[in-house]
Amino acid sequence: MRMLKRIVIGLCIVLVLVSCTPKPVELATKTPSESQTETQETSTTTEIPEATQVSAPDQAGWWTDAVFYEIFVRSFYDSDGDGVGDFQGIIEKLDYLNDGDPNTNGDLGITAIWLMPINPSPSYHGYDITNYFAVNPEYGTMTDFKQLLEEAHKRGIHVIMDFVINHTSSQNPWFVQAQDKTSGFHDWYVWSPEKPNVAGPWGQNAWYQAGNGLFYYAIFWSGMPDLNFKNAQVNQTIFNISRFWLDNVGVDGFRVDAARYLHGEFDLQQDTEDTLTWFRTWRQVVKDTNPEAFTVGEVWTDVKTQSRYGGGTGLDSLFMFDLSDAILGNVFAPVPLGIMGAYEDAIYYFPDGQFSTFLTNHDTQRVMSFFGGNVTKAKVAAFIYLTGPGIPFVYYGEEIGMVGSKPDEYIRTPMQWSANEHGGFSTTASWEALNDNYEDSNVADQDGDPDSILNLYREVIALRNAHSALRTGAYLPLQSDCRQLYPVLRVGDDEILVTLVNVGRLSMEDCTLSLGSSSLSGEYSLQSIWGEAFSSTITFDANGAVSGFVLPIALEAGQMVVAELIKK
Ligand code: CA
């Protein structure tokens, strides 16, 4: 049933596209660089910048203080009753995300949005693009999209878009033309006369035979042929696409899909020097177009490898997959030390704090399902990353504890707005069935429940927005004889905070806090600013060490506290 429905949806999108995409015959009469788009104003004769021309790192952009929210447009809110989420639907729900008024506390408080792919695509998810200079007509018009940007910006919300450039759709006119060996588009993709005896990066088949008899490189699947980044026209086109969305449309940056595979084919497939160089070059294009633009990469590997892409010369930020695994696995275990270690690794490789944190995204099992429905653990995990260093990204629905396990459609189901029919997502049956639990778990019901996971998210995001020490303060894990306590000292320029959460299943009391050394010295008053009220005095010796300070409160399982240290 589900599969059939997807095929029907896919066909519908293809039918829409046929009418609005230039015919291949017409394309063939133009050179590739001429045929990109009628709407772009940027010259296609621009020189490709040299990698050596990289500008000085401009750290601490707006994103440093942001809390992002990842939205799958198709599943967020349907404004026009066709069962498919859309741009106008997001506009209607912006006040839920952030109403732009710092004096209200009924909104989630996020300050940036990552939109999953918004370009025309034959798939439901959009990670195979057929036209890079247009928006998916199922989501609305370019006018609708620009209105979304305007309404978001009014509320202080930045918007970045998914940038899917490693590959196109096999239905993209570029690839359709590329079948013809005499076409200017042929070299835009990677071809081989024989099927190379080389597996893809994770052991999969990566070569498929096209209608022209040749084999093409496609690491994700046959419907997503990889672009050939050795081709100068491909590079200029990607640069022009970047300029188009930043300059002509007005997005605030890009989330780069599959970033580690751009320059890859045959047996050199990921993290190649050419790929790293490409991002240094692209950075120049992006920052020259908009110095405030933000780029974050999906480089799904260990933090050490990821660090080769960052450091102020390549991507602004990388998603910390190791850290995500550590938070989830060690809250589950529970072993707070493992989380501290993962944060320290991230800080070691990204000492400027320019890394992006998350619990799950559209490719992984939802948090609530990972914890088997344990709301306390979901709240603990949220508290840890929303009070931790880095730039947090909340996956839509995470804040109400939506459930979902693979296949992918089930972790991308429609947002559960209410217990009404169709979950308040639409007035009709949605493109994909809602989770069965929407009547018990939805925004409307959680809104008025002070103990709901939604209100926990609201409160902790508000804390983060109000306290720079949580965003950018130094991260100093404290030791405790309560092994399942997660206590962290955050030393900012203007304030010093300590975050505490009992990660275990049992209540704990008389827990000690100790620290080997720090920049602090003398007596500080310690007073909670969120969570159970308490006050005490904590003393640091001449080396900034603390020895056996006893917490004056007991902490129940899952209980969280944020306290402030003020020099006496
Ligand atoms: Ca719709």
Side-chain angles (χ1 to χ4, degrees), residues 175-215:
F175 187 71
V176 173
Q177 289 302 294
Q179 312 276 315
D180 178 353
K181 293 174 202 170
T182 64
S183 160
F185 287 101
H186 184 67
D187 189 52
W188 284 36
Y189 295 86
V190 183
W191 299 98
S192 173
E194 310 290 337
K195 181 165 180 165
N197 187 24
V198 181
W202 48 95
Q204 80 283 25
N205 177 36
W207 292 90
Y208 299 87
Q209 192 164 26
N212 61 10
L214 300 178
F215 290 84

Side-chain angles (χ1 to χ4, degrees), residues 244-507:
F244 173 77
W245 288 98
L246 290 172
D247 211 9
N248 301 33
V249 182
V251 301
D252 300 302
F254 303 108
R255 175 265 182 188
V256 185
D257 182 63
R260 59 191 305 223
Y261 304 115
L262 297 197
H263 269 276
E265 65 273 323
F266 300 100
D267 55 353
L268 274 177
Q269 297 172 327
Q270 56 197 21
D271 309 321
T272 63
E273 285 302 326
D274 285 346
T275 299
L276 297 167
T277 302
W278 190 89
F279 278 108
R280 292 194 281 274
T281 307
W282 183 60
R283 178 189 183 83
Q284 182 90 29
V285 173
V286 168
K287 300 290 180 182
D288 282 353
T289 309
N290 178 0
E292 295 296 311
F294 172 59
T295 62
V296 54
E298 181 203 30
V299 176
W300 197 334
T301 183
D302 62 278
V303 63
K304 182 180 178 184
T305 306
Q306 289 178 321
S307 68
R308 300 172 66 202
Y309 288 83
T313 58
L315 291 157
D316 289 314
S317 188
L318 284 304
F319 288 110
M320 297 289 100
F321 287 89
D322 283 353
L323 180 67
S324 162
D325 290 344
I327 295 175
L328 294 178
N330 288 300
V331 167
F332 185 88
V335 186
L337 276 177
I339 302 167
M340 293 166 170
Y343 267 113
E344 291 186 317
D345 286 349
I347 293 163
Y348 176 82
Y349 287 108
F350 297 90
D352 53 7
Q354 299 283 302
F355 55 87
S356 294
T357 63
F358 64 100
L359 297 179
T360 66
N361 65 21
H362 63 282
D363 284 325
T364 58
Q365 185 182 35
R366 281 191 175 272
V367 184
M368 190 59 81
S369 294
F370 179 87
F371 290 129
N374 186 320
V375 177
T376 300
K377 285 192 183 289
K379 287 179 175 176
V380 167
F383 176 82
I384 288 172
Y385 93 110
L386 292 172
T387 60
I391 307 158
F393 280 67
V394 177
Y395 183 45
Y396 84 95
E398 177 186 311
E399 76 275 22
I400 56 170
M402 274 173 59
V403 295
S405 301
K406 296 250 180 181
D408 287 340
E409 292 88 327
Y410 297 171
I411 55 182
R412 304 169 183 173
T413 54
M415 182 73 176
Q416 298 166 201
W417 293 104
S418 74
N420 297 341
E421 195 181 7
H422 311 303
F425 164 76
S426 176
T427 54
T428 188
S430 50
W431 73 274
E432 172 79 14
L434 278 90
N435 286 317
D436 293 339
N437 73 345
Y438 76 87
E439 289 177 325
D440 303 319
S441 182
N442 57 67
V443 172
D445 286 350
Q446 291 192 20
D447 184 46
D449 174 3
D451 292 328
S452 68
I453 186 166
L454 174 58
N455 279 314
L456 185 277
Y457 268 79
R458 287 169 171 166
E459 288 187 36
V460 179
I461 291 171
L463 267 178
R464 183 179 190 86
N465 289 340
H467 294 281
S468 62
L470 295 179
R471 305 192 298 269
T472 55
Y475 177 88
L476 298 171
L478 298 165
Q479 293 120 35
S480 177
D481 58 356
C482 294
R483 293 193 174 188
Q484 292 176 331
L485 180 66
Y486 175 81
V488 179
L489 188 65
R490 302 298 305 282
V491 181
D493 292 337
D494 306 317
E495 59 179 357
I496 305 163
L497 301 181
V498 61
T499 61
L500 303 159
V501 53
N502 177 352
V503 180
R505 289 186 298 123
L506 305 173
S507 68

